[in-house]
Every structure is written in C-alpha cells, then in structure tokens.
Amino acid sequence: MVNKAKLLAAVKEDSVVQLLQKVIQIESTNPPGNELDLAHWLADYFAEANVEAEVLKYEGKRANLVARLQGSGNRPALIFSAHMDTVSAGEVPWMFPPFSGTLHESKVYGRGAADMKGGLAAMAQAAVILAQSRIPLGGDLIVAFSYDETYGLQGARRLVDGGYLEGAGAVLVSEPSTLDVFIAEKGALWLKCRVQGKTAHGSMPHLGQNAILEMVRFLHRVEEHLDLSTEPHPLLGESTFTVGTIQGGVAINVIPDACEAQLDIRLVPGLDHREVVRRVRELGEGRVEVEVLDWKEPVESDPNAEIVGLSLQVVEEITGQPRSPKGVSYYTDGTVIANSLQIPMVIVGPADTGMTHQPNEYVEVSRLVEAVKIYLLIATRYLA
Ligand SMILES: [Zn+2]
C-alpha cells in the first residue's frame, strides 16, 4: 500500500512554480513551434531525476518528448499527455511580458501558463516525484509531450504512428479544465470553400461574376440552412458552425474573380462528418468548391471506464469538491490518442478553461499544486 501522506508531502510549491516559469521562458509559439529547445530542456530536467527521456526530432525545430517509467507489466500503461507549443502572444499589450513567467498574487502569468505549460509542468513534476518515490508500478507511466497541438496534432499522430504509446490502457490529458473531469470532446471539421467568378471593370459589374458576393450568399445559406441538429449530446450539447477567414478581391474597382472562406464546424458524436460535407456542398449549388482541410474525430469515453471513476474520486479527494463527468467543445491530442488506440481519455488540468489563448494568461498556483497531487494519485492507483 502506498503511503499517501508521504507521497503528497513530496509535492513542493516552489519546485513546480519554478519549473513552470522556466518552461514559459522557453518560447514555443506555433507557428513555427520551435518545440525542440523546450524538449531538450525537459529531457535534461528528467535526466537529473534519473528519468530517461527521448527527444524525437523532426523537420526543422519540431520535436516530441517521450519518457517511460517502467512497470512490471501487470497493468496497462497510463499516458500523461501535454503539448509543448502555444499560440502567439497576440497584439494586445500584456500586464507582464508574455514570456517572463511572472509570479504575481499567487498566479503564474505567461503565454502557455494555462494552455498548457501549467498542465505540462504539473505532469512532469508528478512523473519525477513518482520515479524518485521508488513505488513499484504494475504498468508503465508514459510521458508524452507533443508538438503542434494548437494546430494540426502532428506531434500526437507521430507518437501513435511511431509506436511510442503502445500498451496504454488510458490517456490523461492536462489541458485546462479548472480541475473538472472532462471525458468527451467535440470533433472539428475544417472546410475550405472557393468560388470562381469572372473579372471585369468595377464600373461594368454586369460583364463580370462577383465571387465575393457569390460567397456571401453561400455563407448566408449555410448559416440559415445547414442542418446540424441531433439529439442534444448529454455532455457536449449541440454542434456549431462558424466562418474563420474570408479572402477575395484585388482592388476596389475590379470585380473579384475568386473568393475563399474557411469554415470551422464542431460536431458532437453521432453526426457523420461526411454527411455534413455533403450538405455544405449541396448548399453551394454547384458554384462552390468545398475541400476538407481537416477532420478531428470527437472523443467520447465510457463513463464506466476505470480511469474515469478513479479521476473523479482523486479530484474530489484533493480539492474537496464532488465532481461529475463533463464534456468540452475544444479538441486536444486526446482525439488522436484515444481514437487511434481505442482507449478512454480523461482531461483534468489546473488552468481555467476560459484562460485559453487570452492575453494575461495565468494559472493559479494553488490549482497547479493540486494538479501535481492529482496526477500522482491517479498514476499510483491506476498503475498499482
Ligand atoms: Zn491546449
């Protein structure tokens, strides 16, 4: 039996705060990503604790980081999943420099503090404490820190394809959840729509075909008539649609002959994405070319899976608040890992869900410390 009090006493606020500050200071804005520097730094951090971590380098400065704490093989492995890249700091001035990792009034500020270097630091710290505790493990703990989560999930795909996650029975993701327990996420369908028109002088519009106006009419049709209705999903609610970009035209006095728009459609399980693409094409009435840029499947874990019950129980134990399983509309590496390996996914992260991609992004130190404890207990119990 693991001595819980002794294990939790090894969690030190100063160490996890300093670790987070350091990983914020190593900038990894995506694009371009540059996760390699952070991966190397983390590999050294693990090496100091005698945990062997491997930097998997890809093109340019893209990289994944994996580490495996060996178990005896009596239990399936557990994946600690986090991503190393962040979105850009944006144009709005920050209260503190975005790559400083400033500690202010019990919060750590910086780009990625919430999404999701806070979760990453808490998982790294938990893995190191677990390794140093010398608690015998039945299954392996796999630390899987990816690149390119904020855009294309390339890092997670390569971890799966490379066989680095083999033997896993569950994946725990530390994306922002305000320490709630999320077990489902929406799918993301990204479409590029293109209208071809005919150019003419702006003074003679009847001689041309205005691609921008045609696109606007199409977008209105999609907004009004695209049927995304299903039975409301108990955890995820309803599917949504939005237009993210639109581009067209060269000059005020030239009839535009091309227009392109990108649609972001988030689907709840049960709605076939191919059917949705078909409906969008139909609304194009033969004048709009519709291309699928990406499809990220929704995730729906079995609420009765062992990892789900265990996570609910541990989160309640550490925070003192009862929890019930919930869903989220954002996507994570979990979609690739859980769906490819056919294993349940749970998201529990220290940061506030509303902090994601915001200026003055921060994570509360108290939650960060609670997250380390939660990961430690989930891992020791799941892998026992
Ligand atoms: Zn994220």
Side-chain angles (χ1 to χ4, degrees):
M1 198 51 196
V2 173
N3 184 332
K4 180 178 145 187
K6 197 174 147 203
L7 187 64
L8 295 187
V11 179
K12 299 279 186 278
E13 183 179 306
D14 285 2
S15 330
V16 64
V17 166
Q18 281 162 20
L19 173 59
L20 174 56
Q21 290 177 313
K22 189 65 208 177
V23 298
I24 289 172
Q25 286 157 9
I26 305 172
E27 191 184 334
S28 52
T29 302
N30 183 18
N34 291 343
E35 297 90 346
L36 185 63
D37 294 341
L38 180 53
H40 277 308
W41 189 88
L42 285 165
D44 290 345
Y45 168 81
F46 281 120
E48 269 171 42
N50 288 319
V51 175
E52 201 184 311
E54 194 181 351
V55 175
L56 307 167
K57 188 187 172 305
Y58 307 106
E59 57 284 333
K61 293 191 80 182
R62 310 314 296 268
N64 281 324
L65 180 85
V66 276
R68 219 178 239 262
L69 269 60
Q70 293 289 341
S72 64
N74 292 335
R75 289 275 302 154
L78 174 67
I79 301 167
F80 274 3
S81 164
H83 61 82
M84 295 184 284
D85 56 319
T86 69
V87 295
S88 80
E91 304 296 322
V92 185
W94 286 48
M95 219 158 66
F96 306 106
F99 300 101
S100 63
T102 303
L103 175 63
H104 176 73
E105 293 178 347
S106 300
K107 295 174 183 134
V108 177
Y109 285 82
R111 177 46 92 218
D115 185 11
M116 63 172 293
K117 288 179 172 177
L120 180 141
M123 283 188 151
Q125 181 92 107
V128 161
I129 293 172
L130 190 60
Q132 290 175 337
S133 74
R134 301 187 182 280
I135 292 169
L137 302 176
D140 297 354
L141 177 69
I142 306 172
V143 176
F145 292 167
S146 69
Y147 75 94
D148 192 42
E149 192 280 340
T150 56
Y151 189 73
L153 309 181
Q154 276 311 313
R157 288 197 171 106
R158 278 178 139 152
L159 286 172
V160 168
D161 293 346
Y164 293 99
L165 309 180
E166 233 132 79
V171 54
L172 182 61
V173 182
S174 48
E175 292 272 11
S177 83
T178 328
L179 295 182
D180 245 323
V181 177
F182 296 151
I183 65 163
E185 58 188 60
K186 285 184 184 175
L189 175 63
W190 289 353
L191 302 178
K192 184 162 93 178
C193 303
R194 196 171 190 287
V195 170
Q196 187 66 56
K198 193 169 151 240
T199 192
H201 193 275
S203 64
M204 293 170 282
H206 60 283
L207 296 180
Q209 281 169 344
N210 192 313
I212 292 179
L213 291 176
E214 181 65 44
M215 178 63 82
V216 168
R217 286 189 288 269
F218 163 69
L219 293 175
H220 276 303
R221 285 198 299 277
V222 174
E223 190 182 21
E224 275 166 40
H225 303 296
L226 179 65
D227 183 11
L228 298 173
S229 57
T230 45
E231 288 279 298
H233 188 276
L235 300 179
L236 294 170
E238 289 174 3
S239 300
T240 59
F241 150 83
T242 188
V243 184
T245 67
I246 183 160
Q247 274 162 341
V250 287
I252 190 169
N253 58 349
V254 177
I255 303 297
D257 65 350
C259 185
E260 216 173 78
Q262 294 184 322
L263 315 189
D264 182 351
I265 302 173
R266 303 296 171 116
L267 298 178
V268 301
L271 197 52
D272 188 335
H273 78 284
R274 285 159 300 197
E275 171 59 18
V276 174
V277 174
R278 198 193 59 75
R279 289 177 196 171
V280 172
R281 285 209 173 105
E282 203 170 84
L283 291 165
E285 297 175 350
R287 296 188 295 278
V288 183
E289 216 180 281
V290 178
E291 184 194 333
V292 177
L293 289 178
D294 200 8
W295 163 238
K296 298 175 182 88
E297 280 183 81
V299 184
E300 205 175 16
S301 301
D302 176 359
N304 299 312
E306 184 188 349
I307 189 71
V308 174
L310 185 56
S311 301
L312 290 167
Q313 179 206 330
V314 168
V315 170
E316 183 172 343
E317 221 173 295
I318 295 296
T319 65
Q321 317 259 317
R323 305 284 161 164
S324 56
K326 293 185 181 162
V328 269
S329 49
Y330 61 66
Y331 65 78
T332 69
D333 278 341
T335 174
V336 171
I337 297 172
N339 286 314
S340 309
L341 303 179
Q342 295 287 304
I343 56 174
M345 172 210 74
V346 168
I347 303 174
V348 178
D352 196 313
T353 323
M355 268 293 125
T356 303
H357 304 184
Q358 297 298 313
N360 303 316
E361 183 182 340
Y362 66 80
V363 63
E364 287 179 27
V365 171
S366 59
R367 289 223 185 90
L368 193 64
V369 172
E370 285 177 327
V372 181
K373 295 178 178 172
I374 288 167
Y375 302 147
L376 259 176
L377 289 190
I378 292 177
T380 46
R381 290 180 194 170
Y382 185 84
L383 299 170

